[in-house]
Amino acid sequence: MSVIRRRLRTAAVAAIAACVALGSASCSKSDDEGTGEGGQVKLVLQTFQNFGYDQAIKDFEAANPNIKVEHQKMGELRDFQPKLVQWLAAGSGAGDVVGLEEGVLLGYVQNHDKFANLLDLGAGELKANFPEWKWNNALTPDGKKLIGLGTDVGGLAMCYRKDLFQQAGLPTDRDEVSKRITTWQDYIALGKEFKASGKVKAAWLDSATSLMQPYVMQNSETFFFDKDNKFIGDTNPVIKQTWDLGLQMAADGLTAKAQRWSADWDAAFKNSAFATLPCPAWMTEGVIAQRSGPANAGKWDIATIPGGGGNWGGSYLAIPAQTKHPKEAYLLAKYLTSKEGHLAAFKEAAAMPSDIAGLEDPAFKDKTSDYFSGAPIGQIFGESVKNMKPVFLGAKHQQVWETIFEPQMQAAERGQASSDAAWKKAVDEAKKATS
Amino acid sequence: MSSTAGAAPPRHRATPPSSTPAPRRSSYRLGRWDLKYSPYLYIAPFFALFGVFGLFPVLYTVYVSLFDYELLSGTKEFTGLENYRVLMEDAQFWNAAYNTLGIFVLSTVPQLIVALILANLLNRQMRGRTLLRMGIVVPNITSVAAVGIIFALIFADRYGLINWLLGTVGFDPIAWRDNRYASWFAVAFMVDWRWTGYNALIYLGAMQAIPKDLYESASLDGASAWRQFWTITVPLIRPTILFTVIISTIGGFQIFTEPLMYGFGLVRGGADHQFQTLAMYIYEKTFTGNAEYGYGSAMSWLLFMMIIIFALINFALVRRSVKGDRK
């Protein structure tokens, strides 16, 4: 609303528009000349959030004295993504190596002409380093072009509140809890037991929507899209099944009905409003520990996810076709997605390796978390990824889930709309958005 | 004067003496050019910058709006007025327009009235006058994002301050986001919190230019303070009121950050787009998903037209209802 702010924003938008229009290199931040003193090549690496690459880049520069890396941290994904789209379209401005979140990557696999083919740069030899699904996600359907190398993976486990379990008279030991929740039906039954104890005010799960990601991933090979990227959210039976299962839990009073990523959700952690939460690795320290705060340290623990393994999230490094130094850029991407790069990132930002050797390395495998009562996070999350079945997500998965189905399911959970009405709205809107 | 003759030639002489040749003539000419053209030169940087960063993008937006232009896939096809036709049938666009208008009315009307009253109160002799006058603009210099985060917490559904207060006196909590009008109210409240003081200060400035003797003679004639306010103050600051109405219309129609922060950073603006404004919808279409620049440009143009129309309507309405001092 402020006039000055708005002007600045208008000016910024105008500047971007002008850059796009002119395709002008002068607007770009990246160093297009690249070769500085003594034939040194300067590479620009653009990432979002925190990839944990500070040390890895130093090591890379030490091993490759002719390459200098400028690491531009671009803030949140939602801020970086629109800029990257513009830079790719304008033909300049994008880094030599860019970080792509899984959902974003799938969109670019469909429109891959703006990226270099890593197979041409020699990436074929790296295939055995990654789980097959992580590799294939970045591969075009014909298998001839690879646009990204895997950085982290999410993995999946069940985070739970030991203290609340104890109050309700449930087992608290993580192995015992894991045994009691091997299937989702067990998990719901234990939740009913938790509630029936009458000794706890907290709900069992944060939100009905938390069920969707792990449950569908375990029980279906596809999510909202079939392998031709056609929307099948309305006909994939597992999605409706999960929707009903989650909303039934809400109706049974097992969920805290907190909207994920809202201020209420944050407060619900602090107020101990729920006892369990399916959690990928990046959520443990970065989300749960941060929101629950030091007051709840040692009260959380981690068990295995019901229904076997699973994955939630993860990213890739890609090389935009506009780079002037594809060879050097490839060296950097290759190093950062090698075992050394993965383990450095794990140490710095708790980003779980997708590199198979990295997953086996003691630096990852033997890692425990103090906040989570000393839970062996390396082992638990490592197992979850090994056991998982690959799921085809489709280019617009993130959009359809986060901006259409999740809000509608939340509205139904809060009783603002009937389940049927919310489902119909979600399907209609998703069809419109994907047609 | 004659004693100084020759030391300094008289100025403004039509023909310089023949003894002073070219340099003097050219400096004279330079001086005339200076007077004539310098003002244009001084304001030129603004117009040059405006042309590059203001006018060109605006015109380029018109051009882009005629294309099916998607940045992600690289599509760029001329489709004429197709984007505008689709826009006319786009329920989400009109829903956003409805929300924007609703939030605008809900925020601007009370805001300007309260600002007027505040300014009138501050226009008196009182203790700590300067402090109070400065104080009312403090909300305006706080970061809009910070304001959005704090108010999103105050108006949180479950652990929010207001619902907690309502609970302590026995009322049901309000669904601040699911209920369309509750969400409008909350967003309007945020806007007012930031902008009432700013407008009050502008009114105050205008009020201080009103000659004090007008009030004195009115008092002698026995006019009440209320009567003086409506028949002296308001008519005399009418141009300022018109100015704030126009500025508020422009600002109100482009409201973006407040509802965005209120919806926890999601451009969707609630499960059913209850508080998604036009600027948010433009952002959603243009910068997320397929990055539909063509469609986004068409929407931006329609928003531009709407702002002009509503600014003119508001201008006419206010000019009519507030009688100026036509003599």
Side-chain angles (χ1 to χ4, degrees):
Chain A
M1 269 292 283
S2 108
V3 176
I4 290 170
R5 251 187 108 83
R6 170 150 319 116
R7 269 209 200 121
L8 283 175
R9 193 160 61 220
T10 316
V13 170
I16 290 164
C19 297
V20 172
L22 303 170
S24 143
S26 59
C27 307
S28 92
K29 264 192 221 156
S30 83
D31 185 352
D32 287 328
E33 301 309 318
T35 29
E37 333 93 61
Q40 208 184 37
V41 171
K42 199 178 123 195
L43 293 178
V44 173
L45 169 68
Q46 289 167 339
T47 61
F48 52 91
Q49 282 173 350
N50 183 12
F51 274 54
Y53 281 161
D54 292 352
Q55 185 57 45
I57 287 171
K58 274 184 207 143
D59 295 345
F60 174 78
E61 285 178 336
N64 299 277
N66 63 323
I67 303 177
K68 183 106 188 66
V69 180
E70 184 193 336
H71 189 187
Q72 297 175 351
K73 297 179 184 173
M74 310 299 292
E76 293 295 319
L77 175 67
R78 63 167 176 247
D79 301 325
F80 174 46
Q81 166 63 4
K83 286 183 204 152
L84 182 62
V85 172
Q86 286 162 350
W87 287 331
L88 290 173
S92 81
D96 300 289
V97 179
V98 296
L100 300 178
E101 197 270 337
E102 181 179 63
V104 174
L105 170 98
L106 294 170
Y108 283 127
V109 169
Q110 269 195 317
N111 305 294
H112 51 77
D113 56 318
K114 298 285 194 295
F115 287 97
N117 186 354
L118 301 180
L119 293 177
D120 293 346
L121 293 165
E125 53 169 358
L126 305 174
K127 188 174 193 299
N129 296 355
F130 297 92
E132 206 184 343
W133 61 270
K134 185 81 183 172
W135 179 266
N136 286 346
N137 263 350
L139 207 58
T140 54
D142 61 6
K144 284 182 185 152
K145 185 167 178 181
L146 184 80
I147 65 166
L149 289 171
T151 61
D152 65 320
V153 288
L156 204 52
M158 182 63 79
C159 292
Y160 69 99
R161 284 287 295 263
K162 236 175 21 176
D163 57 327
L164 297 177
F165 272 46
Q166 191 172 15
Q167 284 169 32
L170 302 186
T172 57
D173 177 69
R174 66 180 77 92
D175 292 331
E176 231 173 298
V177 171
S178 300
K179 267 182 218 146
R180 291 290 299 273
I181 56 168
T182 47
T183 69
W184 287 99
Q185 295 310 328
D186 292 346
Y187 168 77
I188 293 170
L190 196 67
K192 285 182 177 158
E193 202 180 306
F194 177 84
K195 186 175 155 65
S197 76
K199 290 178 188 137
V200 276
K201 270 198 288 180
W204 180 239
L205 177 66
D206 65 329
S207 157
T209 58
S210 291
L211 213 59
M212 192 62 96
Q213 194 91 2
Y215 192 90
V216 176
M217 293 253 195
Q218 289 169 356
N219 292 290
S220 173
E221 285 178 3
T222 51
F223 215 116
F224 291 114
F225 297 91
D226 69 9
K227 290 186 177 156
D228 300 320
N229 264 307
K230 202 169 117 345
F231 177 71
I232 52 160
D234 51 339
T235 53
N236 184 347
V238 183
I239 293 178
K240 186 67 175 30
Q241 207 181 318
T242 320
W243 174 284
D244 291 339
L245 201 62
L247 291 179
Q248 186 56 46
M249 282 184 77
D252 292 342
L254 294 180
T255 67
K257 302 184 182 179
Q259 184 188 336
R260 298 190 134 228
W261 312 110
S262 76
D264 269 334
W265 193 59
D266 297 350
F269 280 99
K270 273 224 165 57
N271 289 302
S272 308
F274 53 87
T276 65
L277 179 70
C279 51
W282 49 264
M283 210 187 248
T284 55
E285 301 288 338
V287 176
I288 296 175
Q290 252 177 36
R291 285 174 171 75
S292 303
N296 291 315
K299 292 182 184 169
W300 283 95
D301 206 329
I302 305 176
T304 54
I305 190 88
N311 178 51
W312 183 350
S315 294
Y316 291 79
L317 290 181
I319 300 176
Q322 58 184 256
T323 177
K324 298 254 182 352
H325 312 287
K327 278 203 189 77
E328 289 82 359
Y330 173 69
L331 281 180
L332 177 63
K334 183 177 156 187
Y335 178 78
L336 293 175
T337 57
S338 70
K339 182 180 149 188
E340 291 74 30
H342 270 116
L343 290 175
F346 177 66
K347 203 172 158 196
E348 228 169 276
M352 178 176 165
S354 65
D355 177 76
I356 289 171
L359 287 170
E360 292 299 331
D361 195 277
F364 170 73
K365 220 176 163 185
D366 299 342
K367 173 85 174 154
T368 59
S369 164
D370 293 338
Y371 192 90
F372 290 83
S373 312
I377 50 172
Q379 196 194 325
I380 294 176
F381 286 110
E383 283 301 314
S384 77
V385 173
K386 259 183 240 159
N387 293 339
M388 70 162 285
K389 287 179 298 176
V391 174
F392 180 82
L393 287 179
K396 288 182 180 168
H397 170 80
Q398 206 65 12
Q399 187 194 349
V400 167
W401 168 242
E402 241 172 42
T403 70
I404 299 173
F405 272 81
E406 192 178 24
Q408 292 296 355
M409 192 171 173
Q410 282 162 346
E413 185 183 17
R414 288 193 300 265
Q416 289 299 318
S418 73
S419 166
D420 290 343
W423 175 262
K424 193 179 171 308
K425 261 191 215 161
V427 167
D428 288 349
E429 211 180 312
K431 276 185 180 161
K432 206 181 128 198
T434 55
S435 62
Chain B
M1 287 298 275
S2 60
S3 62
T4 60
R11 290 171 192 181
H12 309 302
R13 199 159 58 178
T15 44
S18 53
S19 59
T20 53
R24 200 164 288 244
R25 182 180 294 152
S26 77
S27 86
Y28 168 77
R29 194 175 294 149
L30 269 179
R32 212 173 56 168
W33 284 352
D34 182 28
L35 278 177
K36 216 172 170 182
Y37 299 113
S38 286
Y40 296 102
L41 198 66
Y42 294 148
I43 56 167
F46 167 77
F47 284 100
L49 285 174
F50 175 76
V52 175
F53 295 113
L55 193 63
F56 170 72
V58 166
L59 295 178
Y60 190 66
T61 307
V62 180
Y63 171 76
V64 170
S65 76
L66 303 175
F67 286 80
D68 175 15
Y69 187 7
E70 293 184 10
L71 223 49
L72 188 63
S73 58
T75 322
K76 191 174 179 185
E77 253 172 69
F78 183 79
T79 52
L81 295 174
E82 175 68 10
N83 281 330
Y84 292 92
R85 193 193 61 77
V86 175
L87 201 48
M88 292 298 139
E89 295 165 0
D90 186 347
Q92 201 181 334
F93 178 83
W94 295 108
N95 168 68
Y98 177 55
N99 292 341
T100 308
L101 191 64
I103 293 172
F104 164 71
V105 172
L106 217 52
S107 62
T108 309
V109 174
Q111 178 191 81
L112 295 185
I113 291 173
V114 172
L116 204 53
I117 294 168
L118 260 181
N120 195 43
L121 292 174
L122 289 169
N123 194 23
R124 296 177 184 185
Q125 295 296 335
M126 57 170 127
R127 262 169 219 267
R129 204 167 37 161
T130 314
L131 195 71
L132 287 170
R133 285 177 182 175
M134 298 307 282
I136 57 164
V137 279
V138 167
N140 194 249
I141 56 171
T142 49
S143 142
V144 63
V147 172
I149 290 169
I150 298 292
F151 276 89
L153 288 169
I154 291 175
F155 289 104
D157 293 289
R158 200 177 153 101
Y159 297 106
L161 183 68
I162 299 207
N163 274 352
W164 174 75
L165 284 174
L166 286 174
T168 56
V169 289
F171 286 103
D172 282 341
I174 293 172
W176 283 112
R177 281 167 190 79
D178 287 325
N179 183 310
R180 181 185 291 260
Y181 303 106
S183 66
W184 286 6
F185 173 82
V187 173
F189 193 86
M190 255 186 259
V191 175
D192 287 351
W193 189 79
R194 283 193 80 222
W195 290 96
T196 307
Y198 170 83
N199 283 312
L201 204 67
I202 292 181
Y203 289 152
L204 182 63
M207 284 177 187
Q208 295 195 326
I210 302 174
K212 290 279 177 286
D213 50 347
L214 283 176
Y215 293 103
E216 279 164 22
S217 34
S219 300
L220 287 176
D221 289 342
S224 69
W226 183 247
R227 180 85 198 269
Q228 289 179 26
F229 175 66
W230 280 112
T231 52
I232 300 176
T233 313
V234 172
L236 283 177
I237 64 166
R238 196 175 69 138
T240 311
I241 294 178
L242 286 171
F243 167 76
T244 57
V245 166
I246 303 270
I247 293 294
S248 303
T249 309
I250 296 170
F253 269 73
Q254 296 181 42
I255 186 168
F256 177 75
T257 315
E258 285 91 344
L260 183 73
M261 300 311 287
Y262 186 68
F264 307 114
L266 296 176
V267 284
R268 184 182 175 87
D272 280 331
H273 312 286
Q274 305 92 309
F275 52 95
Q276 185 180 49
T277 60
L278 283 169
M280 287 163 88
Y281 187 45
I282 291 173
Y283 185 91
E284 180 184 334
K285 278 288 179 193
T286 317
F287 297 109
T288 69
N290 289 344
E292 295 171 40
Y293 273 53
Y295 197 59
S297 300
M299 282 199 278
S300 305
W301 257 90
L302 213 58
L303 174 60
F304 181 57
M305 292 298 164
M306 281 167 142
I307 291 174
I308 290 181
I309 290 167
F310 274 92
L312 287 176
I313 291 174
N314 289 338
F315 184 82
L317 279 177
V318 174
R319 195 167 58 171
R320 229 187 224 202
S321 53
V322 180
K323 290 200 182 75
D325 58 337
R326 289 193 209 96
K327 284 175 185 165

